[in-house]
Amino acid sequence: MSSGDSPLVKIKKSHGGEKSRLPLRAYIVSAFLALVGVLALAVLIFGRKVSVQNPALTISQAQLRLKNNPEDLKALVSLGIDYFQQGPHFYPQGINTLEKARSLGALDSRIFYYRGLMYQNLGFYPFALKEYQRYLRNFPDDEDIRQREAKLLFQAGRYNDALAEYQRLSYFSPKDPVIKENLALSLWKNHEENSAAGIFSELAKASSPEGVKRAEFYLGRIALSQKDYQGALGHLLKAVPSENEDIGIAPQKIYFFLAQSSQKLGHYQEAQHFWKKTLSLDPRDSQAKKELKKVRRFLLAQKRSKRRHL
Protein backbone atom coordinates (compact mmCIF):
# COMPACT_ATOMS: atom_id res chain seq x y z
CA MET A 1 0.00 0.00 0.00
CA SER A 2 1.25 3.45 -0.87
CA SER A 3 1.99 5.63 2.10
CA GLY A 4 0.75 8.68 0.22
CA ASP A 5 4.05 10.56 0.86
CA SER A 6 5.09 10.42 -2.82
CA PRO A 7 2.06 10.85 -5.07
CA LEU A 8 2.41 9.93 -8.72
CA VAL A 9 2.61 12.79 -11.20
CA LYS A 10 1.56 12.49 -14.82
CA ILE A 11 4.31 13.41 -17.31
CA LYS A 12 2.98 15.64 -20.03
CA LYS A 13 3.75 14.64 -23.62
CA SER A 14 5.68 17.14 -25.73
CA HIS A 15 4.01 18.81 -28.66
CA GLY A 16 4.41 17.46 -32.19
CA GLY A 17 4.62 13.83 -31.13
CA GLU A 18 8.28 14.08 -30.05
CA LYS A 19 9.51 12.16 -27.01
CA SER A 20 10.11 14.37 -23.99
CA ARG A 21 13.77 14.72 -23.21
CA LEU A 22 15.02 14.49 -19.65
CA PRO A 23 18.56 15.16 -18.47
CA LEU A 24 20.69 12.07 -17.82
CA ARG A 25 20.81 12.97 -14.15
CA ALA A 26 17.01 12.81 -13.97
CA TYR A 27 17.01 9.30 -15.44
CA ILE A 28 19.62 8.17 -12.92
CA VAL A 29 17.66 9.65 -9.99
CA SER A 30 14.41 8.07 -11.25
CA ALA A 31 16.04 4.66 -11.61
CA PHE A 32 17.58 4.92 -8.14
CA LEU A 33 14.23 5.87 -6.54
CA ALA A 34 12.50 3.00 -8.33
CA LEU A 35 15.14 0.57 -7.02
CA VAL A 36 14.75 1.89 -3.48
CA GLY A 37 10.98 1.46 -3.75
CA VAL A 38 11.30 -2.14 -4.89
CA LEU A 39 13.78 -2.95 -2.11
CA ALA A 40 11.54 -1.32 0.52
CA LEU A 41 8.56 -3.31 -0.69
CA ALA A 42 10.59 -6.51 -0.62
CA VAL A 43 11.65 -5.83 2.97
CA LEU A 44 8.04 -5.20 3.98
CA ILE A 45 6.74 -8.33 2.27
CA PHE A 46 9.49 -10.82 2.96
CA GLY A 47 10.29 -9.38 6.36
CA ARG A 48 7.04 -10.70 7.76
CA LYS A 49 6.01 -13.53 5.44
CA VAL A 50 6.66 -17.11 6.38
CA SER A 51 8.99 -19.47 4.59
CA VAL A 52 7.62 -21.73 1.87
CA GLN A 53 9.48 -24.70 3.34
CA ASN A 54 7.71 -27.61 5.02
CA PRO A 55 6.89 -26.24 8.53
CA ALA A 56 7.27 -29.69 10.15
CA LEU A 57 10.80 -29.92 8.74
CA THR A 58 11.78 -26.41 9.78
CA ILE A 59 10.31 -27.03 13.25
CA SER A 60 12.68 -29.94 13.64
CA GLN A 61 15.58 -27.84 12.40
CA ALA A 62 14.78 -24.99 14.79
CA GLN A 63 14.33 -27.37 17.71
CA LEU A 64 17.73 -28.89 16.96
CA ARG A 65 19.34 -25.44 16.96
CA LEU A 66 17.62 -24.58 20.23
CA LYS A 67 18.82 -27.80 21.80
CA ASN A 68 22.37 -26.56 21.31
CA ASN A 69 21.52 -22.95 22.16
CA PRO A 70 18.17 -22.38 23.98
CA GLU A 71 18.55 -18.61 23.55
CA ASP A 72 19.04 -18.62 19.78
CA LEU A 73 16.70 -15.71 18.96
CA LYS A 74 16.49 -16.41 15.22
CA ALA A 75 15.65 -20.06 15.86
CA LEU A 76 12.95 -19.07 18.37
CA VAL A 77 11.32 -16.65 15.93
CA SER A 78 11.52 -19.22 13.13
CA LEU A 79 10.01 -21.90 15.37
CA GLY A 80 7.15 -19.64 16.45
CA ILE A 81 6.29 -18.80 12.83
CA ASP A 82 6.48 -22.47 11.84
CA TYR A 83 4.00 -23.31 14.59
CA PHE A 84 1.68 -20.71 13.03
CA GLN A 85 2.00 -22.45 9.68
CA GLN A 86 1.02 -25.76 11.25
CA GLY A 87 -2.45 -24.44 12.06
CA PRO A 88 -4.65 -23.45 15.04
CA HIS A 89 -3.79 -26.55 17.10
CA PHE A 90 -0.20 -25.24 17.34
CA TYR A 91 -1.08 -21.59 18.00
CA PRO A 92 -0.56 -21.71 21.79
CA GLN A 93 2.94 -23.09 21.24
CA GLY A 94 3.60 -20.46 18.59
CA ILE A 95 2.45 -17.62 20.87
CA ASN A 96 4.60 -18.85 23.78
CA THR A 97 7.67 -19.38 21.58
CA LEU A 98 7.46 -15.90 20.06
CA GLU A 99 6.92 -14.38 23.50
CA LYS A 100 10.05 -16.14 24.73
CA ALA A 101 11.99 -14.69 21.79
CA ARG A 102 10.65 -11.21 22.54
CA SER A 103 11.40 -11.46 26.27
CA LEU A 104 14.98 -12.52 25.50
CA GLY A 105 15.46 -9.41 23.38
CA ALA A 106 14.44 -10.31 19.82
CA LEU A 107 13.58 -7.18 17.81
CA ASP A 108 11.93 -8.96 14.88
CA SER A 109 8.61 -7.20 14.11
CA ARG A 110 7.17 -10.46 12.79
CA ILE A 111 6.73 -11.48 16.43
CA PHE A 112 3.90 -8.95 16.80
CA TYR A 113 2.41 -9.80 13.40
CA TYR A 114 2.05 -13.54 13.98
CA ARG A 115 1.16 -13.31 17.65
CA GLY A 116 -1.64 -10.93 16.64
CA LEU A 117 -2.97 -13.32 14.01
CA MET A 118 -2.83 -16.30 16.37
CA TYR A 119 -4.47 -14.45 19.26
CA GLN A 120 -7.24 -13.22 16.96
CA ASN A 121 -7.91 -16.68 15.56
CA LEU A 122 -8.07 -18.10 19.08
CA GLY A 123 -10.56 -15.41 20.11
CA PHE A 124 -8.25 -13.49 22.48
CA TYR A 125 -9.10 -10.14 20.92
CA PRO A 126 -7.60 -7.71 23.49
CA PHE A 127 -4.25 -9.51 23.20
CA ALA A 128 -4.48 -9.51 19.40
CA LEU A 129 -5.20 -5.78 19.41
CA LYS A 130 -2.12 -5.07 21.52
CA GLU A 131 0.11 -7.08 19.16
CA TYR A 132 -1.31 -5.38 16.06
CA GLN A 133 -0.66 -1.96 17.57
CA ARG A 134 2.94 -2.96 18.29
CA TYR A 135 3.34 -4.17 14.72
CA LEU A 136 1.84 -0.98 13.28
CA ARG A 137 4.42 1.11 15.10
CA ASN A 138 6.94 -0.62 12.83
CA PHE A 139 4.79 -0.72 9.67
CA PRO A 140 2.14 2.02 9.97
CA ASP A 141 1.08 1.66 6.32
CA ASP A 142 0.11 -2.02 6.49
CA GLU A 143 -3.53 -1.75 5.41
CA ASP A 144 -4.47 -5.35 6.23
CA ILE A 145 -3.30 -5.14 9.85
CA ARG A 146 -4.75 -1.66 10.28
CA GLN A 147 -8.14 -2.98 9.13
CA ARG A 148 -7.83 -5.85 11.59
CA GLU A 149 -6.96 -3.42 14.37
CA ALA A 150 -9.90 -1.15 13.48
CA LYS A 151 -12.29 -4.10 13.48
CA LEU A 152 -11.11 -5.21 16.93
CA LEU A 153 -11.47 -1.65 18.25
CA PHE A 154 -15.03 -1.60 16.91
CA GLN A 155 -15.84 -5.00 18.44
CA ALA A 156 -14.46 -3.80 21.78
CA GLY A 157 -16.89 -0.87 21.71
CA ARG A 158 -14.10 1.66 21.24
CA TYR A 159 -16.04 3.35 18.46
CA ASN A 160 -14.20 6.66 18.55
CA ASP A 161 -10.83 4.91 18.14
CA ALA A 162 -12.26 2.69 15.40
CA LEU A 163 -13.60 5.76 13.61
CA ALA A 164 -10.16 7.38 13.65
CA GLU A 165 -8.62 4.26 12.11
CA TYR A 166 -11.28 3.94 9.40
CA GLN A 167 -10.92 7.63 8.57
CA ARG A 168 -7.19 7.08 8.07
CA LEU A 169 -7.83 4.01 5.92
CA SER A 170 -10.46 5.86 3.91
CA TYR A 171 -8.02 8.69 3.21
CA PHE A 172 -5.65 6.30 1.45
CA SER A 173 -8.35 4.03 -0.07
CA PRO A 174 -11.39 6.30 -0.59
CA LYS A 175 -13.13 3.93 -3.04
CA ASP A 176 -12.75 0.71 -1.07
CA PRO A 177 -16.36 -0.37 -0.31
CA VAL A 178 -15.39 -2.41 2.76
CA ILE A 179 -13.58 0.52 4.33
CA LYS A 180 -16.42 2.88 3.41
CA GLU A 181 -19.00 0.59 5.00
CA ASN A 182 -16.97 0.21 8.19
CA LEU A 183 -16.39 3.96 8.29
CA ALA A 184 -20.15 4.50 8.05
CA LEU A 185 -20.78 1.97 10.83
CA SER A 186 -18.25 3.73 13.05
CA LEU A 187 -19.86 7.11 12.36
CA TRP A 188 -23.26 5.63 13.21
CA LYS A 189 -21.98 4.19 16.49
CA ASN A 190 -20.50 7.60 17.30
CA HIS A 191 -23.98 9.12 16.85
CA GLU A 192 -23.06 10.87 13.59
CA GLU A 193 -26.13 9.47 11.87
CA ASN A 194 -26.39 11.95 8.99
CA SER A 195 -22.77 11.42 7.95
CA ALA A 196 -23.23 7.66 8.19
CA ALA A 197 -26.45 7.81 6.15
CA GLY A 198 -24.65 9.76 3.42
CA ILE A 199 -22.08 6.99 2.99
CA PHE A 200 -24.68 4.22 3.17
CA SER A 201 -26.71 6.02 0.50
CA GLU A 202 -23.66 5.98 -1.79
CA LEU A 203 -23.12 2.27 -1.11
CA ALA A 204 -26.79 1.55 -1.83
CA LYS A 205 -26.24 2.86 -5.37
CA ALA A 206 -22.77 1.65 -6.26
CA SER A 207 -21.91 -1.40 -4.17
CA SER A 208 -22.21 -5.15 -4.80
CA PRO A 209 -25.74 -6.68 -4.55
CA GLU A 210 -24.96 -7.88 -1.02
CA GLY A 211 -23.39 -4.53 -0.15
CA VAL A 212 -26.46 -2.70 -1.42
CA LYS A 213 -28.72 -4.76 0.85
CA ARG A 214 -26.48 -4.19 3.86
CA ALA A 215 -26.51 -0.46 3.14
CA GLU A 216 -30.32 -0.49 2.92
CA PHE A 217 -30.48 -2.36 6.24
CA TYR A 218 -28.40 0.27 8.02
CA LEU A 219 -30.32 3.10 6.35
CA GLY A 220 -33.44 1.44 7.74
CA ARG A 221 -31.92 1.26 11.21
CA ILE A 222 -30.99 4.95 11.08
CA ALA A 223 -34.47 5.94 9.88
CA LEU A 224 -36.04 3.82 12.64
CA SER A 225 -33.92 5.53 15.31
CA GLN A 226 -35.07 8.89 13.90
CA LYS A 227 -38.71 7.75 14.09
CA ASP A 228 -39.09 7.82 10.32
CA TYR A 229 -40.99 4.53 10.34
CA GLN A 230 -42.21 4.71 6.75
CA GLY A 231 -38.70 5.40 5.52
CA ALA A 232 -37.34 2.60 7.69
CA LEU A 233 -39.87 0.15 6.27
CA GLY A 234 -38.93 1.07 2.70
CA HIS A 235 -35.21 0.57 3.28
CA LEU A 236 -35.61 -2.64 5.27
CA LEU A 237 -37.82 -4.24 2.61
CA LYS A 238 -34.99 -3.68 0.11
CA ALA A 239 -32.60 -5.43 2.51
CA VAL A 240 -34.47 -8.74 2.62
CA PRO A 241 -32.20 -11.42 1.12
CA SER A 242 -33.43 -13.87 -1.46
CA GLU A 243 -33.52 -17.58 -0.61
CA ASN A 244 -30.06 -18.93 0.29
CA GLU A 245 -28.52 -15.47 -0.17
CA ASP A 246 -25.99 -14.44 2.48
CA ILE A 247 -25.58 -10.68 2.77
CA GLY A 248 -23.56 -10.77 5.98
CA ILE A 249 -26.51 -9.84 8.21
CA ALA A 250 -28.65 -12.48 9.93
CA PRO A 251 -32.11 -12.49 8.22
CA GLN A 252 -33.90 -12.59 11.58
CA LYS A 253 -32.44 -9.16 12.36
CA ILE A 254 -33.93 -7.75 9.19
CA TYR A 255 -37.35 -9.24 9.93
CA PHE A 256 -37.12 -8.03 13.54
CA PHE A 257 -36.79 -4.40 12.48
CA LEU A 258 -39.37 -4.83 9.71
CA ALA A 259 -41.78 -6.00 12.41
CA GLN A 260 -40.93 -3.03 14.62
CA SER A 261 -41.41 -0.54 11.78
CA SER A 262 -44.73 -2.09 10.73
CA GLN A 263 -45.98 -2.11 14.31
CA LYS A 264 -45.04 1.54 14.82
CA LEU A 265 -47.01 2.39 11.66
CA GLY A 266 -50.03 0.49 12.94
CA HIS A 267 -49.74 -2.18 10.23
CA TYR A 268 -50.52 -5.01 12.63
CA GLN A 269 -51.17 -7.76 10.09
CA GLU A 270 -47.78 -7.11 8.50
CA ALA A 271 -46.15 -6.84 11.92
CA GLN A 272 -47.61 -10.20 12.91
CA HIS A 273 -46.18 -11.76 9.74
CA PHE A 274 -42.72 -10.31 10.37
CA TRP A 275 -42.68 -11.31 14.06
CA LYS A 276 -43.59 -14.86 13.05
CA LYS A 277 -40.83 -14.84 10.46
CA THR A 278 -38.37 -13.59 13.08
CA LEU A 279 -39.31 -16.39 15.48
CA SER A 280 -39.15 -19.03 12.75
CA LEU A 281 -35.50 -18.07 12.31
CA ASP A 282 -34.73 -17.46 15.99
CA PRO A 283 -37.26 -19.21 18.27
CA ARG A 284 -35.47 -17.99 21.41
CA ASP A 285 -36.00 -14.28 20.72
CA SER A 286 -37.93 -13.26 23.86
CA GLN A 287 -38.71 -9.73 22.66
CA ALA A 288 -40.17 -11.04 19.40
CA LYS A 289 -42.39 -13.43 21.41
CA LYS A 290 -43.56 -10.58 23.63
CA GLU A 291 -44.33 -8.25 20.71
CA LEU A 292 -46.12 -11.00 18.78
CA LYS A 293 -48.46 -11.54 21.74
CA LYS A 294 -49.19 -7.80 21.85
CA VAL A 295 -50.00 -7.71 18.13
CA ARG A 296 -52.20 -10.79 18.35
CA ARG A 297 -54.16 -9.30 21.29
CA PHE A 298 -54.66 -6.07 19.35
CA LEU A 299 -55.83 -7.91 16.20
CA LEU A 300 -58.21 -10.06 18.29
CA ALA A 301 -59.64 -6.96 19.99
CA GLN A 302 -60.01 -5.30 16.59
CA LYS A 303 -61.86 -8.34 15.25
CA ARG A 304 -64.24 -8.42 18.24
CA SER A 305 -64.93 -4.71 17.86
CA LYS A 306 -65.93 -5.22 14.24
CA ARG A 307 -68.28 -8.01 15.18
CA ARG A 308 -70.04 -5.83 17.76
CA HIS A 309 -70.67 -3.15 15.15
CA LEU A 310 -72.23 -5.53 12.65
Side-chain angles (χ1 to χ4, degrees):
M1 172 181 161
S2 172
S3 67
D5 294 330
S6 303
L8 296 175
V9 177
K10 292 182 179 179
I11 299 175
K12 295 181 180 180
K13 294 182 180 179
S14 59
H15 295 288
E18 294 179 6
K19 294 181 180 178
S20 59
R21 297 179 180 177
L22 294 174
L24 178 60
R25 181 182 176 185
Y27 281 116
I28 294 171
V29 171
S30 298
F32 175 74
L33 291 175
L35 179 60
V36 169
V38 169
L39 289 174
L41 183 61
V43 168
L44 179 60
I45 293 173
F46 296 108
R48 81 176 191 192
K49 297 301 181 185
V50 296
S51 168
V52 295
Q53 297 180 50
N54 182 342
L57 176 62
T58 52
I59 282 174
S60 299
Q61 293 171 342
Q63 287 174 335
L64 181 61
R65 287 171 59 186
L66 289 166
K67 188 175 181 180
N68 297 323
N69 179 11
E71 295 187 354
D72 185 329
L73 298 183
K74 289 184 178 179
L76 283 168
V77 173
S78 176
L79 180 59
I81 293 172
D82 290 334
Y83 279 136
F84 168 81
Q85 281 188 291
Q86 287 285 71
H89 183 70
F90 290 86
Y91 285 176
Q93 292 166 272
I95 288 169
N96 291 334
T97 302
L98 290 174
E99 174 57 24
K100 183 178 180 181
R102 189 189 69 81
S103 65
L104 287 172
L107 302 176
D108 195 322
S109 59
R110 292 178 299 171
I111 292 171
F112 311 130
Y113 178 82
Y114 287 107
R115 274 169 59 87
L117 292 179
M118 288 187 280
Y119 271 133
Q120 185 173 9
N121 280 289
L122 290 172
F124 298 112
Y125 302 132
F127 295 99
L129 180 59
K130 185 180 291 185
E131 297 300 326
Y132 288 151
Q133 289 173 335
R134 286 170 171 169
Y135 177 79
L136 286 168
R137 292 188 192 107
N138 291 275
F139 296 104
D141 295 329
D142 190 313
E143 185 173 315
D144 173 59
I145 296 302
R146 195 162 289 283
Q147 286 200 57
R148 287 174 178 271
E149 180 211 21
K151 181 178 180 180
L152 291 177
L153 287 168
F154 187 93
Q155 290 176 335
R158 294 170 59 180
Y159 301 124
N160 194 49
D161 291 332
L163 175 59
E165 291 300 328
Y166 283 122
Q167 286 173 329
R168 175 188 174 120
L169 285 161
S170 181
Y171 178 81
F172 291 110
S173 302
K175 295 183 180 180
D176 187 314
V178 174
I179 293 173
K180 287 179 76 171
E181 183 174 326
N182 288 329
L183 172 61
L185 284 170
S186 299
L187 286 164
W188 177 39
K189 289 294 186 178
N190 278 282
H191 309 293
E192 297 183 42
E193 293 183 338
N194 292 334
S195 297
I199 297 174
F200 283 129
S201 295
E202 290 177 20
L203 291 168
K205 296 174 183 176
S207 190
S208 65
E210 297 81 9
V212 167
K213 289 187 177 183
R214 286 197 303 275
E216 291 289 357
F217 171 76
Y218 291 116
L219 285 168
R221 293 288 308 277
I222 291 170
L224 188 58
S225 69
Q226 295 175 340
K227 298 184 179 181
D228 176 11
Y229 305 124
Q230 192 63 52
L233 187 63
H235 287 299
L236 291 165
L237 285 170
K238 293 177 184 177
V240 176
S242 56
E243 190 175 357
N244 299 323
E245 183 184 20
D246 182 7
I247 67 167
I249 296 171
Q252 58 265 33
K253 286 187 176 182
I254 300 171
Y255 288 114
F256 182 97
F257 293 110
L258 276 168
Q260 270 197 348
S261 302
S262 299
Q263 193 167 335
K264 291 288 186 181
L265 287 166
H267 301 166
Y268 295 106
Q269 288 287 358
E270 290 84 350
Q272 179 177 238
H273 167 74
F274 290 131
W275 286 127
K276 284 181 178 179
K277 190 70 177 176
T278 302
L279 287 167
S280 72
L281 295 166
D282 184 7
R284 296 175 297 177
D285 190 323
S286 58
Q287 188 174 352
K289 289 178 183 178
K290 182 180 177 181
E291 295 301 325
L292 179 58
K293 286 180 181 178
K294 283 184 184 177
V295 169
R296 281 174 169 169
R297 283 198 298 268
F298 183 87
L299 287 171
L300 183 60
Q302 200 175 50
K303 190 174 182 180
R304 288 172 178 168
S305 177
K306 286 181 180 179
R307 284 178 180 173
R308 283 197 298 267
H309 289 86
L310 287 177

